[in-house]
Amino acid sequence: MPDVKIPSSADETKGDCDAAGKDCKVPEKRVLQTIAPLVRSVEETPEPITTEVQGTIPAWINGNFLRNGPGKFEFGNTHYNHWFDGMAMLHKFHISGGQVTYMSRFLRSDAYQRNSEQDRIVMSEFGTLAMPDPCKNFFQRFMSRFQMIQPTDNASVSFVTYKGDYYVSTETNFMHRVNPESLEAVEKVDWSKFIAVNGATAHPHYDPDGTAYNMGNSYGSKGALYNIIRVPPEKTEASDTLQGAKVLCSIVPKDKSHPSYYHSFGMSENYVVFIEQPIKMDLLKIVTCKLRGRALGEGIYWDPKQETVFHLVDKRTGKVSALKYHTKAISTFHQINAFEEDGFLMLDLCCADDGGAINNYLIQNLRKSGEALNEVYDSLCRPYPRRFVLPLHVSDETTTGQNLNTRPSSQATCVKVSRDKVFCQHENLHGDDLEQYGGLEFPQINYSRCNTRPYRYFYGCGFRHLVGDSLLKMDLEDKTLKVWYQEGFYPSEPVFVASPGAADEDDGVILSVVLTPSQDKGTFLLVLNAKTFEELGRANVPVNMPYGFHGTYSTAA
């Protein structure tokens, strides 16, 4: 396994780690390396290029590793303010016979096309308000302030699938269907043309038969609603996109004018779990942001006085449980897994005790160095994996005031406090050694085998920087870690690929794109043995890449 020493600068004392990531002595003070090259604009590579393979990439891997994320941060003299705003860049690593080719394309969204034509930012994004055309007269510029901001189609978050087709998605009502071989956009698809929603997450869930579930808000004269969406698994005709999609149910927010922001949700075999968290959206500020000259993202805020509420929805009937499960104020962007066992629903999440991180990922922050960069990092609350145990069989006869969690191996508690409320306290899905790696985010599992089922392993990035700087494997049986770390390297979300005929849950490999900001063209595709977490090989890419968000692996036909 590669060196797993904790990072240190030249004037620090280094600490050693064993193979499980234990007994590491982390220096109390360290100066973070600049990661500015990871958030700079790069050129696309529209034709496949060969990579230099070091080590061995298993010959059985035969498919495409697709990645998505921002890759262009300015047009002309105008620039984006937030990391989430950069124009979507799609990447493909084609892996076959132990060799790898790489290509990338910018998504030709309306936002990209219009900005390119005028050589300035003309469509607003999450953290950037497009300014009025300076060529217009004063009256025209003034009146443009009273126009609503149009939702962006800059689908820069992830690759998702519906009915066997690949889409790139963000959190608005627009997606783009893409050709996974050429990375070219085939069709712009609007959720609102099929169902009454104003957007959907970039993290749907799937049943074994291909039925997809997602969530999307709708906004009307009476306020907001949270909607559970179901998309059938099969097409009825060749041109079918989201036909047959239905709103399974709607959930009323606690405050219709201040609904919760959410990035993902949980799903077990029989339930969708919506997490209503205290990251709130002030709808009045959002709809008036252009009039006030403020970015849309400034209408999102953290309210630590609010509890987090878990809503359960029966996937078969669409019925929303009247019983609500509460916990303290937490923020969560990504769920790990959810499953039902012994009359309980286990909900595993990456959680933080503060929700202000979303507003800290400004481009100017990511491009800082030295003490200024340390100051940004130190202001962030670390995310950790946690399990909430939700009792499914609570009735009027259930005793109040006592812990209903009867699972002997679990330290989580769930207490009925009133007829329709259970208060839950989590258990940690990690040992103390995870603190040395800055918590864990971008969680992944062996999805096809373990989603909605009991499982043992999950994978993620350690965040001892503003982006991932290590790869982690957590064993839930004894809460121990395996770690891949090399100083100065920044791996992206790990994606698990099962080996042919896999017997064990972790038989397979982990794929991750690793960036090296201190080296020009220092990018490579890393392949780890998922069981041992030892490096098998890497494919060096002779171009620069930006740090991305999410992706997927698809087996070649």
Side-chain angles (χ1 to χ4, degrees):
M1 185 165 71
D3 180 13
V4 291
K5 292 181 179 179
I6 293 297
S8 59
S9 61
D11 60 350
E12 292 172 331
T13 301
K14 295 184 178 181
D16 292 329
C17 304
D18 65 12
K22 295 181 179 179
D23 303 324
C24 301
K25 296 179 181 179
V26 182
E28 292 184 3
K29 186 65 176 178
R30 62 194 178 99
V31 178
L32 296 177
Q33 178 189 36
T34 180
I35 55 171
L38 306 188
V39 286
R40 68 183 176 192
S41 298
V42 299
E43 298 295 323
E44 63 182 0
T45 307
E47 297 298 328
I49 58 175
T50 58
T51 66
E52 179 191 359
V53 174
Q54 293 178 261
T56 301
I57 295 178
W60 58 261
I61 305 177
N62 182 27
N64 296 325
F65 183 39
L66 305 173
R67 295 279 301 161
N68 195 355
K72 184 174 178 61
F73 299 95
E74 65 282 314
F75 286 90
N77 295 323
T78 60
H79 59 84
Y80 290 111
N81 299 322
H82 200 284
W83 188 21
F84 299 172
D85 299 345
M87 293 290 97
M89 191 174 209
L90 315 182
H91 311 263
K92 185 186 81 170
F93 294 86
H94 177 68
I95 311 170
S96 179
Q99 299 300 311
V100 179
T101 61
Y102 168 79
M103 64 179 295
S104 64
R105 287 184 188 275
F106 283 111
L107 175 67
R108 263 51 178 191
S109 60
D110 290 349
Y112 180 90
Q113 301 280 31
R114 290 181 57 191
N115 292 338
S116 298
E117 289 167 2
Q118 299 194 36
D119 197 28
R120 68 182 187 89
I121 296 171
V122 298
M123 289 193 68
S124 297
E125 301 289 340
F126 173 81
T128 305
L129 180 68
M131 301 308 294
D133 187 346
C135 295
K136 291 182 178 180
N137 62 40
F138 174 79
F139 180 75
Q140 290 173 319
R141 294 199 302 271
F142 175 75
M143 291 304 296
S144 69
R145 295 280 189 177
F146 294 90
Q147 299 172 354
M148 286 284 292
I149 286 182
Q150 297 301 308
T152 182
D153 68 334
N154 176 37
S156 63
V157 177
S158 189
F159 274 88
V160 299
T161 58
Y162 294 102
K163 303 182 181 183
D165 288 331
Y166 284 82
Y167 295 81
V168 286
S169 177
T170 178
E171 296 181 337
T172 69
N173 54 304
F174 295 117
M175 297 189 299
H176 291 267
R177 184 161 62 92
V178 298
N179 181 328
E181 295 301 324
S182 67
L183 299 182
E184 293 178 326
V186 176
E187 179 184 10
K188 178 179 173 180
V189 178
D190 183 350
W191 277 100
S192 66
K193 301 296 183 183
F194 301 91
I195 51 177
V197 296
N198 296 100
T201 81
H203 292 289
H205 276 296
Y206 307 96
D207 276 342
D209 69 352
T211 300
Y213 294 83
N214 208 333
M215 289 198 59
N217 280 3
S218 58
Y219 306 104
S221 58
K222 296 183 179 180
L225 291 173
Y226 311 120
N227 301 289
I228 311 297
I229 303 165
R230 181 166 58 197
V231 181
E234 297 176 350
K235 294 182 178 181
T236 57
E237 55 186 48
S239 60
D240 188 347
T241 53
L242 298 177
Q243 280 84 353
K246 294 182 178 179
V247 172
L248 184 63
C249 73
S250 297
I251 300 170
V252 179
K254 181 178 179 181
D255 183 343
K256 289 187 175 183
S257 64
H258 293 76
S260 290
Y261 167 81
Y262 53 89
H263 185 73
S264 66
F265 61 98
M267 189 180 83
S268 67
E269 181 180 2
N270 296 297
Y271 298 94
V272 168
V273 187
F274 168 55
I275 304 146
E276 189 173 22
Q277 60 185 344
I279 302 179
K280 297 294 184 179
M281 299 187 292
D282 187 324
L283 296 186
L284 180 60
K285 284 188 175 181
I286 289 173
V287 299
T288 61
C289 62
K290 195 168 184 180
L291 178 63
R292 297 181 297 109
R294 314 295 290 184
L296 182 150
E298 294 187 30
I300 298 177
Y301 66 98
W302 167 248
D303 184 358
K305 297 179 181 178
Q306 299 280 338
E307 291 182 344
T308 297
V309 182
F310 304 124
H311 300 267
L312 265 60
V313 178
D314 189 307
K315 287 163 59 178
R316 296 161 297 184
T317 66
K319 182 179 179 181
V320 184
S321 173
L323 183 68
K324 305 301 178 187
Y325 304 86
H326 290 237
T327 191
K328 66 176 185 177
I330 59 168
S331 67
T332 179
F333 290 93
H334 302 107
Q335 65 92 41
I336 305 168
N337 199 8
F339 62 93
E340 301 157 41
E341 193 173 62
D342 303 327
F344 297 91
L345 189 154
M346 269 56 70
L347 179 64
D348 297 349
L349 309 168
C350 288
C351 303
D353 295 320
D354 182 272
I358 194 171
N359 292 317
N360 287 323
Y361 280 90
L362 301 173
I363 295 294
Q364 64 183 27
N365 286 340
L366 292 167
R367 292 176 176 170
K368 288 180 178 179
S369 60
E371 290 296 332
L373 184 59
N374 274 54
E375 186 176 342
V376 175
Y377 177 76
D378 292 341
S379 70
L380 300 177
C381 192
R382 311 289 179 257
Y384 287 97
R386 298 172 178 174
R387 172 169 292 174
F388 296 88
V389 177
L390 314 183
L392 295 173
H393 307 301
V394 178
S395 66
D396 291 343
E397 287 71 42
T398 302
T399 304
T400 60
Q402 71 178 37
N403 182 17
L404 303 178
N405 183 12
T406 57
R407 296 169 63 85
S409 61
S410 174
Q411 297 177 340
T413 64
C414 42
V415 178
K416 180 183 176 183
V417 296
S418 66
R419 182 177 182 180
D420 60 356
K421 179 178 178 180
V422 171
F423 191 85
C424 303
Q425 291 182 304
H426 70 269
E427 64 175 306
N428 291 327
L429 295 181
H430 63 89
D432 293 340
D433 48 2
L434 181 58
E435 295 181 10
Q436 304 170 75
Y437 298 94
L440 183 149
E441 253 293 357
F442 291 152
Q444 289 284 317
I445 62 172
N446 182 342
Y447 192 92
S448 61
R449 175 168 174 160
C450 299
N451 184 51
T452 76
R453 301 180 181 94
Y455 69 115
R456 179 174 174 179
Y457 304 107
F458 64 91
Y459 311 87
C461 286
F463 274 74
R464 295 190 68 240
H465 210 300
L466 294 179
V467 298
D469 73 337
S470 60
L471 293 171
L472 308 175
K473 175 186 180 180
M474 179 65 68
D475 185 341
L476 289 174
E477 190 170 274
D478 55 11
K479 297 183 180 179
T480 56
L481 278 176
K482 289 187 184 297
V483 181
W484 182 92
Y485 167 76
Q486 290 188 0
E487 186 171 357
F489 290 3
Y490 296 85
S492 64
E493 171 191 62
V495 172
F496 177 86
V497 181
S499 59
D504 296 331
E505 178 186 330
D506 59 347
D507 281 348
V509 298
I510 292 294
L511 303 180
S512 177
V513 178
V514 181
L515 307 182
T516 315
S518 61
Q519 301 176 22
D520 184 47
K521 302 176 183 178
T523 303
F524 58 90
L525 173 66
L526 174 69
V527 183
L528 299 180
N529 181 320
K531 186 177 286 289
T532 65
F533 239 47
E534 295 176 345
E535 180 172 340
L536 298 175
R538 60 178 67 178
N540 296 296
V541 182
V543 298
N544 288 312
M545 288 178 59
Y547 196 90
F549 296 141
H550 299 289
T552 190
Y553 174 82
S554 64
T555 303

